[in-house]
Amino acid sequence: AQKVTQAQTEISVVEKEDVTLDCVYETRDTTYYLFWYKQPPSGELVFLIRRNSFDEQNEISGRYSWNFQKSTSSFNFTITASQVVDSAVYFCALSEDSGNTPLVFGKGTRLSVIA
Amino acid sequence: DTEVTQTPKHLVMGMTNKKSLKCEQHMGHRAMYWYKQKAKKPPELMFVYSYEKLSINESVPSRFSPECPNSSLLNLHLHALQPEDSALYLCASSQPLAGTTYNEQFFGPGTRLTVL
């Protein structure tokens, strides 16, 4: 069975600090997809990134970067020079490529960036 | 157009009311989803429509009835709800990758439902 663990329930940082959100996953499939979503106070879930299990390259997009390590089953997300607008709940999710298996979400990490 | 729209934004209903939530996307996606999200919890999958056919029902009570009139629209009909059904209801859509059924999902802003 698939499972996503986000051990950090809440994180609070001061603006301009770097912060890393952890995500550990479990799956029996060799082909799977990992995702990060951001949910600001408005409620809408915003898609940030998709990574498939065969692509272990790290990715950087502006202040955001993702570190995918199959050896430790982790897909961590780092925000550099955090800003108040980064305050949100961040969800890591997993989808197995074995047919009708949609997203399984972690419990989310609430990030508060203080000015 | 890369958005999913949902109406209404807020809904308050009594336990004897019948109401409907609506979701629309014009991205040509062929999979659409309903999720329920309680406060401080992750979204929980309710239903999945794939190519306008119901493909997953996560043992949702019959007081929730989904409908997919066409490839762009998804409805959720509500009847005889309970106060514990109060939650944020999120709609999402995705375009399946070749060889898979599901891919990244794009979410609407949600309908915040309160059942009195």
Side-chain angles (χ1 to χ4, degrees), chain B residues 6-88:
Chain B
Q6 288 186 245
T7 56
K9 195 169 183 177
H10 299 276
L11 179 61
V12 179
M13 59 186 290
M15 290 190 285
T16 58
N17 292 158
K18 283 186 182 182
K19 297 286 184 183
S20 296
L21 309 184
K22 296 185 184 304
C23 173
E24 190 166 4
Q25 57 88 13
H26 293 289
M27 294 179 277
H29 290 174
R30 301 313 300 269
M32 296 186 75
Y33 312 74
W34 280 115
Y35 288 85
K36 173 182 177 179
Q37 187 179 24
K38 302 284 275 186
K40 298 191 176 183
K41 298 287 186 184
E44 295 176 10
L45 183 67
M46 299 175 73
F47 303 104
V48 182
Y49 274 82
S50 181
Y51 294 88
E52 295 148 59
K53 290 188 178 357
L54 183 64
S55 60
I56 293 181
N57 176 341
E58 291 286 336
S59 303
V60 179
S62 60
R63 57 185 184 270
F64 295 91
S65 174
E67 178 197 19
C68 189
N70 60 55
S71 60
S72 300
L73 292 173
L74 186 65
N75 298 322
L76 186 63
H77 303 296
L78 315 172
H79 174 53
L81 294 194
Q82 305 295 312
E84 59 265 28
D85 296 322
S86 298
L88 179 68

Side-chain angles (χ1 to χ4, degrees), chain A residues 30-74:
Chain A
T30 55
T31 302
Y32 52 88
Y33 296 86
L34 295 162
F35 306 82
W36 276 96
Y37 284 86
K38 173 183 180 180
Q39 189 173 39
S42 59
E44 182 173 352
L45 276 159
V46 178
F47 166 74
L48 296 178
I49 189 171
R50 169 174 62 93
R51 174 68 70 224
N52 75 48
S53 53
F54 296 109
D55 182 2
E56 284 195 74
Q57 279 195 341
N58 293 329
E59 180 153 340
I60 298 175
S61 176
R63 296 184 298 107
Y64 295 170
S65 62
W66 291 269
N67 185 314
F68 176 31
Q69 292 197 344
K70 286 178 76 171
S71 60
T72 55
S73 297
S74 65

